[in-house]
């Protein structure tokens, strides 16, 4: 397994939901408001994870149908538990080879996953293939290069200070294309039209240090995977460095922010 991906532990749905799901749920509603879709459309979600965007689609967009796919059985199990709605069908699938009929969807969306797909152009080509003429394709990813996930950036800053090799595992190093220009270029090269990109921001407030630290000890995702690969003494040093460096509110909370770049485009 490549060094850059060996800590990507993606099967533990409960653990990942605690690490990232609670913050991704805050980005989904403004993303959908920005897309401004009509009701009664046929939707496909590529890489649904634990169901954050799926739940928002059902709550806000009144779809005629929603198929949400993900390669992880663990994530799908958590998504089905999180979103017990008969209008959605959660299926195992690969975004680079969608088992979906061509020209069958009005909305094709993806949340916080495109950067992890090995062949992004193939994934966008597949999204374009299954979309009807005039359909909307929309996706968003974290602004990793700009430090848009502040709790993650703080973790890697502390980890790199103790272990310079950790820098190669950080998302800003691995996903430099996650910028406005990089994502717009990606969509345009995929042959999509009327490409637009916007910034979406949300708070990420942890009630205390334990609330911040505990998800990193669960192993689901690149940073938690790295954290749990450390020997106990090294993990303790990392914990202490973070505990001493994070900002604190008067009530002991840790006030941070998240920022994502969202793209929407039309299928010609």
């Amino acid at each position: 397994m490549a060094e850059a991906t060996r800590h990507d532990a993606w099967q533990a749905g409960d653990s990942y939901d605690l690490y990232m799901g609670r913050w991704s749920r805050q980005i989904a509603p403004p993303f959908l408001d920005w897309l401004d879709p009509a009701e009664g459309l046929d939707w496909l979600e590529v890489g649904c994870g634990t169901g954050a965007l799926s739940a928002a689609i059902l709550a806000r967009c009144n779809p005629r149908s929603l198929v949400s796919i993900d390669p992880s059985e663990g994530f799908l199990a958590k998504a089905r538990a999180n979103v017990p709605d008969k209008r959605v069908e959660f299926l195992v699938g690969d975004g680079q080879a969608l088992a979906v009929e061509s020209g069958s969807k009005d909305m094709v969306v993806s949340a916080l996953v495109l950067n992890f797909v090995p062949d992004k152009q193939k994934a966008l080509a597949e999204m374009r293939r299954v979309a009807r003429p005039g359909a909307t394709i929309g996706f968003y990813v974290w602004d990793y290069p700009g430090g848009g996930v502040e709790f993650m950036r703080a973790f890697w800053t502390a980890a790199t200070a103790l272990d310079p090799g950790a820098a190669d595992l950080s998302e800003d190093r691995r996903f430099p294309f996650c910028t406005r220009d990089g994502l717009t270029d990606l969509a345009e090269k995929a042959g999509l039209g009327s490409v637009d990109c916007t910034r979406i921001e949300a708070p990420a407030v942890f009630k205390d240090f334990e609330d911040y630290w505990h998800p990193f000890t669960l192993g689901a995702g690149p940073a938690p995977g790295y954290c749990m690969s450390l020997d106990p003494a090294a993990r303790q040093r990392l914990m202490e460095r973070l505990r001493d460096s994070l900002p604190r509110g008067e009530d002991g909370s840790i006030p941070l922010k998240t920022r994502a770049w969202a793209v929407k485009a039309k299928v010609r």
Side-chain angles (χ1 to χ4, degrees), residues 29-47:
F31 170 69
L32 294 174
D33 290 346
W34 181 61
L35 292 184
D36 192 26
E39 295 187 358
L41 300 180
D42 295 313
W43 289 68
L44 172 68
E45 182 186 359
V46 179

Side-chain angles (χ1 to χ4, degrees), residues 50 56 86 104 185 188 197 242-243 255:
T50 57
K86 293 182 179 179
S104 62
D185 182 62
E188 290 175 346
C197 184
L242 281 163
R243 186 187 59 204

Side-chain angles (χ1 to χ4, degrees), residues 3-268:
E3 177 71 16
T5 60
R6 68 187 178 91
H7 296 302
D8 290 348
W10 296 120
Q11 289 301 315
D14 287 332
S15 299
Y16 183 79
D17 208 41
L18 186 60
Y19 170 57
M20 185 61 76
R22 53 177 166 166
W23 312 120
S24 59
R25 279 191 286 272
Q26 297 186 143
I27 300 293
F31 170 69
L32 294 174
D33 290 346
W34 181 61
L35 292 184
D36 192 26
E39 295 187 358
L41 300 180
D42 295 313
W43 289 68
L44 172 68
E45 182 186 359
V46 179
C48 64
T50 57
L53 181 56
S54 302
I57 292 168
L58 294 166
R60 305 173 80 88
C61 303
N62 191 23
R64 178 166 59 185
S65 66
L66 170 59
V67 176
S68 296
I69 71 163
D70 199 275
S72 167
E73 285 279 13
F75 279 13
L76 289 170
K78 183 63 175 176
R80 293 184 185 107
N82 284 342
V83 192
D85 191 309
K86 293 182 179 179
R87 292 175 294 170
V88 59
E89 186 176 15
F90 290 107
L91 300 173
V92 174
D94 180 357
Q96 300 165 109
L98 296 170
V100 177
E101 182 182 352
S102 297
S104 62
K105 303 299 177 183
D106 303 299
M107 301 290 299
V108 184
V109 294
S110 181
L112 306 174
V113 73
L114 190 62
N115 51 289
F116 292 109
V117 177
D119 191 331
K120 297 158 190 55
Q121 284 297 329
K122 182 180 288 187
L124 287 172
E126 278 290 273
M127 294 167 76
R128 183 183 178 189
R129 176 185 64 79
V130 303
R132 295 177 174 129
T136 295
I137 291 178
F139 61 88
Y140 56 96
V141 297
W142 293 122
D143 177 16
Y144 295 117
V149 189
E150 290 186 345
F151 68 86
M152 192 182 292
R153 173 59 68 88
F155 175 91
W156 286 121
T157 297
T160 301
L162 298 169
D163 170 19
D168 292 332
L169 296 171
S170 66
E171 287 83 354
D172 58 331
R173 183 77 62 87
R174 293 170 59 192
F175 309 126
F177 72 94
C178 291
T179 63
R180 181 192 295 273
D181 290 345
L183 296 168
T184 299
D185 182 62
L186 196 65
E188 290 175 346
K189 285 181 177 176
L192 301 176
S194 303
V195 178
D196 192 12
C197 184
T198 195
R199 177 192 296 111
I200 302 175
E201 296 181 330
V205 180
F206 298 84
K207 63 182 181 180
D208 52 29
F209 181 73
E210 176 62 18
D211 188 35
Y212 173 90
W213 174 250
H214 180 61
F216 288 105
T217 68
L218 301 177
Y226 169 80
C227 184
M228 296 312 294
S229 76
L230 298 172
D231 65 65
R235 194 178 311 129
Q236 179 70 20
R237 288 193 294 273
L238 175 57
M239 183 196 73
E240 292 172 355
R241 191 175 188 94
L242 281 163
R243 186 187 59 204
D244 295 341
S245 62
L246 289 165
R248 300 299 177 95
E250 292 184 1
D251 59 355
S253 64
I254 299 173
L256 300 170
K257 300 188 294 294
T258 62
R259 181 174 59 254
W261 288 113
V263 173
K264 63 179 175 181
K266 289 293 185 180
V267 175
R268 299 185 175 111

